[in-house]
Amino acid sequence: MAVIGLIGGTGLDHWGEPTEARVVATRWGAPSDALMRYEQDGHTFWFLARHRRDHTIPPHRVDYRANIAALAEVGVSRIFAVNAVGGIGEAFDAGVVAVPDQLIDYTWGRAQTFSDSDRERLQHIEFADPFDPGARAMLLAAAQAAGVVLQDGGCVGVTQGPRLETAAEIRRLRRDGCDLVGMTSLPEAALAREADIPYAALAVVSNRAAGLDATPITMAAIEATLADAMGRVRTIFDHLPDE
Ligand code: HPA
């Protein structure tokens, strides 16, 4: 039976009624929230609300190191992340759920690594493919079993937030090769790799990115799109195959 870490983002701050809520302290600090344990379809899930269950921690203030260290502490063998993102490429309209395969980092000032002092092991992780192929394959198989259509692949540009981008920033991200734009995939994915935990993500497109639609982006529209798409995301996790 697999023990799976599930990091929920905007639109997925709660999972349901847990069998256990565990407060985990790490040497990096406190994770965003208590870890919530669920037994589901033969798997143990440890759910962590990235922005806390009351959705008050902004992307640049999330303690990504504490979050990954806490999931390592409870012994997860995989981490699946859910990220709300804006769509840049034509295939990434609002409501699309993607399994991204690449990342570009536009963040600054975040604690990026566990290799952060001479007391730590200095690691130069291999990160050409930032998402674990086996964990990605599990998500794709789960979606197929659930009858949910996913976009296989996509490059996420990770911006600092919490503001949304300017239209010119989105034009630049498009020139750089980004299909999607979000605020939280890094340093999360890199820290999971440093901790040697296979990591993959579902990127849920909540809106077309800045300047791509005639009308401005509103939080109300984002929330409505996410509420609809998260139903499909939950179904995917109901159909995760055995490892
Ligand atoms: N930009 C960055 N992050 C996001 C967006 C966006 O348009 N939508 C949801 N998360």
Side-chain angles (χ1 to χ4, degrees):
M1 189 178 70
V3 182
I4 289 166
L6 183 54
I7 303 179
T10 301
L12 196 65
D13 294 314
H14 299 267
W15 190 254
E17 207 43 55
T19 53
E20 180 189 348
R22 193 178 297 180
V23 175
V24 180
T26 82
R27 50 196 287 261
W28 305 96
S32 297
D33 209 333
L35 302 187
M36 303 294 179
R37 181 185 174 125
Y38 301 87
E39 304 297 334
Q40 197 173 308
D41 302 311
H43 298 299
T44 297
F45 285 91
W46 285 100
F47 176 82
L48 174 58
R50 185 188 289 115
H51 303 285
R52 201 155 59 202
R53 275 166 294 162
D54 61 3
H55 202 78
T56 51
I57 307 178
H60 65 293
R61 291 220 169 265
V62 171
D63 192 333
Y64 296 93
R65 290 195 296 207
N67 285 354
I68 297 296
L71 290 170
E73 178 82 25
V74 296
V76 303
S77 60
R78 302 239 175 314
I79 295 176
F80 296 115
V82 179
N83 309 84
V85 295
I88 300 175
E90 299 304 323
F92 300 91
D93 212 347
V96 166
V97 180
V99 186
D101 60 357
Q102 278 298 329
L103 293 171
I104 300 180
D105 196 357
Y106 300 92
T107 69
W108 47 270
R110 300 184 182 188
Q112 298 276 359
T113 175
F114 293 115
S115 297
D116 211 15
S117 82
D118 57 10
R119 293 186 307 281
E120 312 296 334
R121 182 161 67 104
L122 174 54
Q123 288 198 84
H124 299 285
I125 50 163
E126 216 284 332
F127 204 49
D129 289 310
F131 297 99
D132 179 75
R136 287 187 75 253
M138 278 178 80
L139 290 177
L140 291 164
Q144 192 165 35
V148 174
V149 177
L150 287 182
Q151 275 289 334
D152 180 359
C155 177
V156 184
V158 188
T159 59
Q160 179 74 350
R163 69 167 175 83
L164 298 173
E165 297 70 36
T166 66
E169 285 170 337
I170 293 300
R171 288 195 293 273
R172 172 190 173 204
L173 264 62
R174 193 203 280 278
R175 286 195 300 275
D176 284 356
C178 297
D179 305 297
L180 299 160
V181 55
M183 301 176 188
T184 51
S185 300
L186 287 167
E188 197 171 271
L191 291 162
R193 181 67 54 86
E194 285 190 355
D196 208 17
I197 304 173
Y199 175 100
L202 291 175
V204 184
V205 182
S206 60
N207 55 281
R208 293 290 291 158
L212 299 183
D213 268 349
T215 49
I217 301 165
T218 67
M219 279 316 290
I222 287 183
E223 280 162 18
T225 305
L226 288 178
D228 174 65
M230 288 308 169
R232 279 175 282 141
V233 165
R234 285 172 181 272
T235 320
I236 292 171
F237 288 113
D238 285 341
H239 288 82
L240 269 188
D242 293 333
E243 289 178 285

